[in-house]
């Protein structure tokens, strides 16, 4: 008989009444439960619980019984309060993201300038797959909604699994109600599906790539509103999976020749299909980040960008394993990035550079003239629409401005001829006292180069050459000055002079930390720091920019907010105590690996975007002394890159000086934004002088905000001495290997 009762109970449980999706989420949040905790208790996936709360799917036995029991108990503890009559309950079709902590702001589309391979800050050149350029498409037109007869159909709830929690909300613009992008996939039956944000899955009727582009512009409702007043709305982005590539007649992988060319041949049948449909490709051709458009017939645009992960569009160095994610999860990752940064325009470096222009478009509409017409005019605070040449000292080797100097063919320019503002790569042997300690502790500055850009005044126009100028710390430019007299053993910290062991400190004036031996070119922040340390400076000459401004402030704020919001979703917030912060940072990416990918991409956007300000030529038959493609855009500005790196290096050195003056501790090694100290214990708290929970003013401070530090890694002193002896490198830079301690024969510190 008991078995019959059990069967009846199970039957009743299968029809258990559940509260509406919004109430399910309210009850869970009221008890302080996370989606992960509920999923673990019910032995289901995190995305499953998210789908229940979003109303996309409904639980089935046996989980339904347990879920209903949980909600019943929570309802007893937290009864619902009646809403005011004027309020309307939110529609279940547009649930709030489960893990978002900040409302994403609209992203801005591309300007019409070329963009190519990446150059990251830490290395002189780090190539990525280039983005396509719109130099041959200055105006584009949006295809009207009536251009095609296809209809976008939202799949029924439950027809496909819900997208993972944390998918961003829409921007509220009805033109882009389906979000900034879609991951296009094809199932086993050949049906094409478009996975959008918020778990939305659309049926795609398009049978060819040309009709897919038509459908996207006419029915897809994809894109993003403009980021700034004078800008443009972002074009829709389609991410094509291997199955979609097969469905539309494209190769799932590029051949060796195609990878080298960065595109498929122009004779490919799909390109011919596009041409017959009167669609055009930009000068970059059909590559990993292809752009398909029609010439403008008015002020509207008709342009769709493609991202093809299997063609290495999502470089593993910056996007981790994103290319291998299922369509819904990939849509979530790219959607979070798009909502918080901008719709990807190409590699992270290309996107970082385009974000600068998106926030400060080169032109704007003028006030109406006497006839009521508006005209295009320069947008104040931008770099303008025309490129400017750099000063000779700022030019990399092979730049055409050097032709006028008539240098010998194999002449190597030194510091007195060329600006060397690069990130730190310095190390020294340990002292006897340091060898008695047990650990080497690495501290890493969060978003160091973004922090270096914050509040920095940079040049906006052409440089002006000045002989024997008086140094002005508020005037951006490059200065030829002798700083060899600055003695780090006797420096000014604040208003007080302090005595230090200068032999244990890197020089703030050179990337290798060596003391200058004579006149050299420096960016304004470097020379200003020499004055701050208490020493007079007398420049011999300078290239200064009288037209200037804080061009990078909005760029920094956008990326900072994206970084902090995503880290908060991972459980790392700005209000944590030092101990709680270290605990939260320990394995934070494991809480949500997909959001961990977004964090890495945001960081790469900072470094890559700054590096691209001095992009070098990438083949194309270039010869020294000739112009290359990147020089034709206004954002080719090596002086801005130099100023940011200079300020970042100076910011780090200032903290090192204050730390040494207060604690007597000196760094063992410095690499870019990482500094290593010898300590008695393995924790950063064994290095940093916290008192009553408060850090040293102006020194290193643990925290997630840009400019604060986190724990990079800890190794033993015995490990350090062992690897230096193994590779016979007394000045091996421990900062390069402190994270995991892995050193190979190829990494000998040179």
């Amino acid at each position: 008989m008991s078995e019959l009762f059990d069967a009846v109970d199970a039957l009743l449980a299968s029809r258990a009444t559940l509260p509406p999706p919004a109430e399910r989420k309210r009850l869970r949040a009221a008890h302080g439960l996370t989606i992960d905790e509920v999923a673990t208790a019910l032995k289901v996936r995190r995305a499953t619980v998210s789908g229940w709360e979003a109303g996309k799917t409904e639980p089935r036995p046996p989980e339904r019984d347990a879920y209903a029991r949980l909600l019943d108990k929570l309802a007893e503890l937290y009864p619902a309060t009646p809403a005011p009559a004027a309020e309307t309950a939110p529609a279940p079709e547009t649930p709030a993201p489960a893990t978002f902590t900040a409302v994403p702001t609209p992203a801005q589309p591309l300007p019409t300038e070329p963009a190519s391979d990446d150059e990251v800050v830490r290395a002189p050149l780090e190539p990525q797959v280039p983005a396509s350029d719109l130099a041959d498409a200055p105006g584009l037109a949006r295809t009207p909604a009536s251009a095609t007869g296809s209809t976008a159909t939202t799949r029924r709830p439950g027809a496909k699994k819900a997208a993972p929690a944390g998918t961003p909300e829409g921007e509220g613009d009805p033109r882009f109600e389906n979000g900034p992008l879609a991951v296009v996939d094809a199932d086993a039956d050949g049906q094409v599906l478009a996975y959008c944000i918020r778990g939305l899955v659309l049926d795609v009727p398009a049978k060819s790539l040309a009709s897919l582009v038509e459908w996207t512009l006419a029915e897809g409702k994809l894109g993003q509103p403009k980021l700034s007043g004078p800008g443009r709305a972002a074009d829709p982005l389609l991410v094509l999976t291997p199955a979609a590539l097969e469905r539309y007649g494209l190769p799932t992988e590029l051949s060796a020749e195609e990878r080298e060319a960065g595109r498929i041949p122009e004779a490919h049948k799909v390109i011919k299909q596009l041409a017959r449909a009167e669609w055009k490709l930009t000068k970059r051709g059909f590559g990993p980040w292809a752009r398909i458009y029609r010439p403008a017939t008015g002020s509207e645009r008709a342009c769709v960008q493609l991202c093809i992960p299997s063609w290495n569009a999502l470089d593993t160095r910056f996007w981790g394993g994103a290319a291998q994610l299922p369509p819904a999860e990939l849509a979530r990752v790219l959607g979070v990035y798009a909502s918080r940064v901008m719709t990807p325009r190409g590699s992270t470096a290309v996107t970082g550079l385009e974000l600068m222009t998106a926030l400060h478009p080169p032109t704007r509409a003028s006030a109406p003239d006497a006839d009521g017409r508006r005209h295009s005019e320069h947008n104040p605070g931008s770099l303008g629409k025309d490129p400017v040449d750099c000063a000779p000292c700022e030019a990399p080797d092979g730049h055409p401005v050097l032709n006028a100097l008539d240098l010998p063919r194999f002449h190597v320019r030194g510091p007195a001829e060329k600006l060397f503002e690069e990130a730190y790569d310095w190390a020294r042997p340990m002292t006897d006292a340091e060898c008695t300690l047990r650990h080497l502790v690495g501290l890493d500055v969060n978003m160091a180069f973004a922090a270096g850009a914050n509040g920095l005044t940079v040049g906006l126009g052409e440089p002006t050459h000045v002989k024997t100028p008086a140094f002005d710390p508020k005037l951006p430019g490059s200065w030829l000055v002798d700083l060899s007299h600055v003695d780090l053993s006797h420096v000014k910290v604040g208003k007080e002079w302090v005595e230090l062991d200068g032999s244990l400190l890197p020089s703030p004036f050179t990337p290798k930390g060596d003391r200058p031996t004579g006149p050299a070119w420096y960016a304004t922040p470097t020379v200003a720091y020499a004055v701050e340390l208490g020493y007079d400076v007398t420049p011999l000459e300078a290239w200064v920019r009288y037209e200037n401004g804080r061009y990078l402030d909005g760029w920094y704020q956008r990326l900072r907010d994206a970084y902090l919001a995503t880290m908060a979703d991972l459980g790392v917030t700005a209000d944590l105590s030092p101990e709680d912060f270290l605990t939260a940072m320990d394995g934070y990416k494991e809480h949500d690996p997909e959001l961990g990918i977004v964090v890495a991409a945001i960081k790469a956007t900072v470094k890559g975007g700054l590096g691209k300000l001095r992009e070098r030529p990438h083949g194309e038959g270039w010869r020294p002394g000739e112009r290359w493609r990147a020089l034709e855009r206004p954002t080719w500005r090596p002086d801005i890159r130099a100023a940011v790196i200079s300020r970042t290096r100076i910011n780090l050195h200032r903290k090192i000086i204050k730390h040494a003056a207060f604690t007597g501790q000196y760094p063992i090694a410095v690499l870019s934004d990482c500094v290593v100290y010898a300590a008695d214990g393995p924790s950063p708290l064994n290095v940093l002088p916290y008192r009553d929970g408060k850090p040293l003013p102006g020194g290193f401070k643990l925290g997630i905000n840009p400019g604060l530090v986190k724990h990079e890694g800890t190794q033993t002193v015995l490990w350090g001495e062992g690897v230096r002896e193994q590779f016979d490198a007394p000045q091996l830079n421990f900062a390069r290997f402190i994270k995991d301690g892995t050193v190979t024969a190829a990494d000998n510190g040179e």
Side-chain angles (χ1 to χ4, degrees):
M1 185 66 68
S2 60
E3 293 180 358
L4 294 176
F5 287 166
D6 290 341
V8 171
D9 290 342
L11 188 61
L12 293 173
S14 68
R15 301 295 189 270
T17 302
L18 297 175
E23 178 66 4
R24 302 170 196 175
K25 180 179 179 180
R26 185 194 72 82
L27 292 172
R28 173 182 60 76
H31 200 62
L33 298 175
T34 65
I35 292 180
D36 289 319
E37 289 173 329
V38 175
T40 301
L42 299 179
K43 298 181 179 179
V44 296
R45 295 176 61 245
R46 185 183 192 280
T48 301
V49 178
S50 176
W52 296 345
E53 291 188 355
K56 301 296 183 182
T57 58
E58 288 295 319
R60 294 183 294 181
E63 292 84 5
R64 186 183 181 94
D65 183 22
Y67 189 46
R69 181 179 178 85
L70 170 66
L71 296 176
D72 287 343
K73 295 296 183 183
L74 292 177
E76 294 176 5
L77 295 173
Y78 309 100
T81 56
E87 294 185 0
T88 303
E93 288 77 15
T94 56
T99 61
F100 265 40
T101 58
V103 178
T105 51
Q108 160 68 12
L110 63 134
T112 58
E113 62 183 64
S116 55
D117 297 349
D118 294 6
E119 182 181 341
V120 298
V121 172
R122 184 171 290 185
L125 182 67
E126 185 121 14
Q128 277 187 274
V129 177
S132 49
D133 100 62
L134 285 181
D136 54 350
L140 301 172
R142 174 75 68 187
T143 301
S146 60
T148 67
S150 59
T151 303
T153 304
T154 303
R155 296 184 71 85
R156 293 179 294 103
K160 286 286 176 182
K161 69 174 183 178
T167 304
E169 282 291 334
E171 311 293 355
D173 191 320
R175 296 175 300 164
F176 314 124
E177 66 179 46
N178 292 336
L181 54 89
V183 179
V184 181
D185 190 33
D187 60 21
D189 298 328
Q191 174 62 53
V192 180
L193 307 172
Y195 291 80
C196 307
I197 63 174
R198 302 191 305 275
L200 181 66
V201 184
L202 305 177
D203 286 320
V204 180
K207 304 300 183 183
S208 67
L209 187 62
S211 60
L212 175 64
V213 174
E214 296 274 7
W215 172 86
T216 301
L217 294 172
E219 306 292 342
K221 296 185 178 181
L222 297 172
Q224 279 187 315
K226 59 186 179 181
L227 187 57
S228 66
R232 297 190 183 101
D235 297 317
L237 173 66
L238 298 181
V239 185
L240 303 183
T241 68
L245 293 174
E246 288 187 358
R247 177 67 180 79
Y248 291 121
L250 291 164
T252 57
E253 294 183 356
L254 297 180
S255 66
E257 295 79 8
E258 292 168 341
R259 284 195 301 271
E260 184 176 357
R263 65 181 79 183
I264 59 176
E266 294 184 5
H268 194 281
K269 63 179 182 180
V270 172
I271 297 180
K272 292 181 178 179
Q273 290 173 359
L274 292 171
R276 285 196 297 270
E278 299 183 343
W279 289 107
K280 296 180 179 293
L281 293 167
T282 58
K283 291 181 179 179
R284 288 292 180 184
F286 203 121
W289 290 94
R291 296 190 71 82
I292 304 172
Y293 73 97
R294 279 183 179 144
T297 55
S299 60
E300 298 297 323
R301 296 166 62 83
C303 182
V304 172
Q305 177 157 326
L306 303 183
C307 168
I308 306 178
S310 63
W311 294 6
N312 199 35
L314 302 176
D315 194 312
T316 55
R317 294 172 297 171
F318 313 111
W319 286 102
Q324 283 71 49
L325 291 174
E329 283 77 0
L330 180 56
R332 180 202 179 201
V333 167
L334 295 177
V336 172
Y337 179 90
S339 293
R340 292 180 172 177
V341 180
M342 68 182 296
T343 302
R345 274 292 329 276
S347 65
T348 51
V350 169
T351 304
L353 189 71
E354 298 295 349
L355 180 61
M356 297 180 193
T357 307
L359 293 163
H360 290 286
T363 60
R364 68 178 184 182
S366 68
D369 59 16
D371 297 327
R373 297 179 179 178
R374 297 179 183 270
H375 307 278
S376 177
E377 66 178 12
H378 173 70
N379 183 26
S382 75
L383 297 180
K385 62 180 181 179
D386 298 318
V388 298
D389 280 335
C390 61
C393 63
E394 298 163 350
D397 294 337
H399 193 286
V401 301
L402 300 177
N403 296 342
L405 301 182
D406 197 24
L407 297 173
R409 182 177 180 184
F410 298 106
H411 177 71
V412 178
R413 293 183 294 160
E417 301 169 286
K418 181 180 178 180
L419 182 68
F420 285 93
E421 291 287 10
E422 299 295 340
Y424 263 132
D425 186 355
W426 170 87
R428 63 169 175 82
M430 286 189 286
T431 65
D432 292 342
E434 289 166 342
C435 288
T436 64
L437 302 176
R438 298 180 59 188
H439 297 92
L440 299 174
V441 180
L443 305 175
D444 182 73
V445 181
N446 293 315
M447 301 272 284
F449 294 99
N454 182 31
L456 178 65
T457 301
V458 300
L460 300 178
E462 296 182 351
T464 301
H465 188 235
V466 183
K467 284 285 189 179
T468 61
F471 176 67
D472 183 354
K474 297 181 180 180
L475 188 60
S478 301
W479 309 78
L480 180 63
V481 59
D482 189 352
L483 300 181
S484 61
H485 63 292
V486 178
D487 184 5
L488 296 181
S489 299
H490 186 65
V491 296
K492 207 172 184 180
V493 178
K495 297 182 179 180
E496 302 292 332
W497 286 90
V498 298
E499 301 292 333
L500 301 171
D501 189 342
S503 65
L504 301 181
L505 290 168
S507 169
F509 309 126
T510 62
K512 291 293 184 181
D514 302 326
R515 186 169 179 171
T517 58
W521 286 98
Y522 303 101
T524 297
T526 302
V527 184
Y529 186 57
V531 176
E532 179 184 328
L533 293 176
Y535 291 85
D536 294 330
V537 297
T538 307
L540 303 176
E541 60 178 299
W543 289 89
V544 296
R545 288 171 169 81
Y546 294 109
E547 182 188 355
N548 54 67
R550 292 168 57 160
Y551 174 71
L552 295 174
D553 274 9
W555 183 81
Y556 160 77
Q557 291 161 9
R558 179 79 175 177
L559 291 165
R560 175 203 62 193
D561 293 347
Y563 174 70
L564 293 179
T566 309
M567 290 300 295
D569 289 341
L570 289 166
V572 186
T573 58
D575 57 353
L576 297 174
S577 67
E579 295 80 5
D580 291 341
F581 171 72
L582 292 174
T583 301
M585 286 295 295
D586 187 15
Y588 70 95
K589 291 184 179 180
E590 298 175 2
H591 298 306
D592 193 327
E594 292 166 13
L595 289 183
I597 293 174
V598 178
V599 169
I602 293 171
K603 292 179 179 179
T605 303
V606 172
K607 290 188 175 182
L610 292 172
K612 236 173 151 47
L613 291 169
R614 198 194 65 170
E615 183 180 8
R616 302 302 305 277
H618 304 289
E620 300 180 342
W622 175 82
R623 294 182 179 180
E626 299 176 347
R627 297 186 69 83
W628 60 90
R629 182 189 296 267
L631 300 186
E632 304 309 319
R633 65 176 186 235
T635 49
W636 193 87
R637 293 295 301 270
D639 57 298
I640 296 179
R641 173 186 179 273
V644 173
I645 295 177
S646 165
R647 192 162 185 248
T648 303
R649 193 181 66 245
I650 294 308
N651 286 345
L652 181 59
H653 195 274
R654 185 181 292 113
K655 289 180 171 62
I656 289 173
I657 286 286
K658 290 191 175 183
H659 187 84
F662 189 80
T663 67
Q665 295 175 318
Y666 294 85
I668 303 295
V670 184
L671 180 69
S672 188
D673 49 5
C674 177
V675 57
V676 177
Y677 285 93
D680 284 324
S683 169
L685 294 175
N686 297 115
V687 176
L688 304 183
Y690 275 83
R691 289 185 177 178
D692 299 325
K694 296 181 179 180
L696 169 67
F700 296 107
K701 177 183 178 181
L702 289 170
I704 197 57
N705 282 309
L708 305 187
V709 299
K710 63 178 181 295
H711 185 204
E712 178 70 3
T714 295
Q715 303 297 328
T716 65
V717 169
L718 290 177
W719 166 86
E721 288 303 302
V723 295
R724 280 183 170 175
E725 181 178 349
Q726 177 184 354
F727 295 106
D728 192 23
Q731 291 181 286
L732 181 75
N733 195 324
F734 293 142
R736 183 172 281 109
F737 318 107
I738 196 71
K739 190 166 189 175
D740 59 11
T742 301
V743 186
T744 65
D747 298 324
N748 60 5
E750 297 300 325

